[in-house]
Amino acid sequence: MRHDLKRGALLLASAMLFTAMVNGLQKVTGPRLPVLEIIFFRNLFSLPFVMMIAARTKMTLKTQHFGGHLTRSVVGLISMIMIVVTVTRLPLAEQQVLSYTQPLFLVLLSIPLLHERPSRHRWIAVFLGFCGVVVVAMGRNAPQAGVVGAVAGWAYLVALAQGAVGALTTMQIRQLSATESSTTIALWQAILMTLATSIPLPFIWTTPHMGDALCLVAVGAFAGIAQVLQTEAFASAQVSAIGPFTYSGLLWAAMIGWLGFGEVPGLAMLAGGLLIVGSGLWMLRHDRPKAPVPAMASTPVEGAPS
């Protein structure tokens, strides 16, 4: 695999921009349209871009683990529902920073599901990350009314739970990747999610006005473009090298929230976000494979790995 750090970083930062725009558009349409209707169009209009990725490789739907794809799509659908619900009710930057708890939940879920023993560095990252969650949650704006406050508090819990569901989705993708190609996984996800959300559509359908209809098309298109850019980014450079640029999504979310919705991040969000992002960077740094020690002579160097 080639390693073009500048290209990979630019592509990944661009993918995060399109993802932030998807969330912004979902925030616009969320108050007027059913959640499942938004997700249906997101998957429907992103499908051509998934096909574009698949066409570059051996495109196939052949699988020996249809049950795994079905389970992964169900969990992924739950995650998408949580995202739409939370971006509609929370400031974009706060929803984005809480979504960065996914690596923390990966550490916790790896214990019962993969029987792993996390290192000391990972436990430090988990502690710092959840301290950040507490800071963000405690610093939220006071509710204007009892009902609004209850919904806001509930939305923070859903945003945090979405990090756990997202982590479970990642683990399922890793398990499927042992036998399935990434294009096969992406194709089945797009197809199954589109079919699943089309079933309740006749019962929940709300006809969007022209502005919302254009937003729905853009949601799907931008989600597809983000997936293409992310695929290209990870094909251009090592994941450990460009991984930190995933956190550029927080900058894009804050900018869109400020310019589009008048959302100004508070000090608590900034401090908590710094802890959460810092915990993710800590794990990226300490999980990065160490470079092999070159042999100085035919006799092994003392202390070098054998």
Side-chain angles (χ1 to χ4, degrees), residues 90-281:
L90 297 179
L92 287 176
E94 292 190 10
Q95 185 277 333
Q96 184 68 39
V97 79
L98 290 174
S99 73
Y100 289 144
T101 58
Q102 179 174 320
L104 310 180
F105 283 109
L106 272 173
V107 174
L108 299 178
L109 290 174
S110 68
I111 300 173
L113 298 182
L114 301 179
H115 306 291
E116 293 182 356
R117 297 180 62 183
S119 65
R120 177 171 56 89
H121 295 298
R122 288 191 174 190
W123 281 119
I124 292 174
V126 169
F127 175 76
L128 291 175
F130 282 112
C131 283
V133 171
V134 172
V135 172
V136 171
M138 292 183 65
R140 65 187 178 92
N141 294 330
Q144 296 179 355
V147 175
V148 175
V151 172
W154 169 70
Y156 276 90
L157 292 177
V158 173
L160 184 60
Q162 190 274 323
V165 175
L168 185 58
T169 302
T170 301
M171 296 184 74
Q172 291 175 321
I173 292 175
R174 288 180 181 178
Q175 292 173 339
L176 285 171
S177 297
T179 56
E180 311 284 288
S181 68
S182 59
T183 54
T184 300
I185 296 173
L187 278 171
W188 274 116
Q189 173 191 322
I191 293 171
L192 290 174
M193 283 190 180
T194 302
L195 291 175
T197 50
S198 69
I199 295 173
L201 206 57
F203 306 100
I204 63 170
W205 176 261
T206 299
T207 302
H209 60 66
M210 182 58 67
D212 282 343
L214 292 175
C215 284
L216 291 175
V217 175
V219 162
F222 288 173
I225 292 171
Q227 190 165 356
V228 172
L229 291 171
Q230 184 169 318
T231 301
E232 285 293 316
F234 290 131
S236 300
Q238 296 174 356
V239 175
S240 60
I242 63 174
F245 289 92
T246 302
Y247 295 104
S248 64
L250 180 56
L251 299 177
W252 301 128
M255 185 180 301
I256 293 172
W258 176 44
L259 296 176
F261 304 95
E263 300 169 351
V264 180
L267 291 177
M269 202 291 294
L270 295 175
L274 185 61
L275 284 171
I276 294 172
V277 172
S279 69
L281 294 174

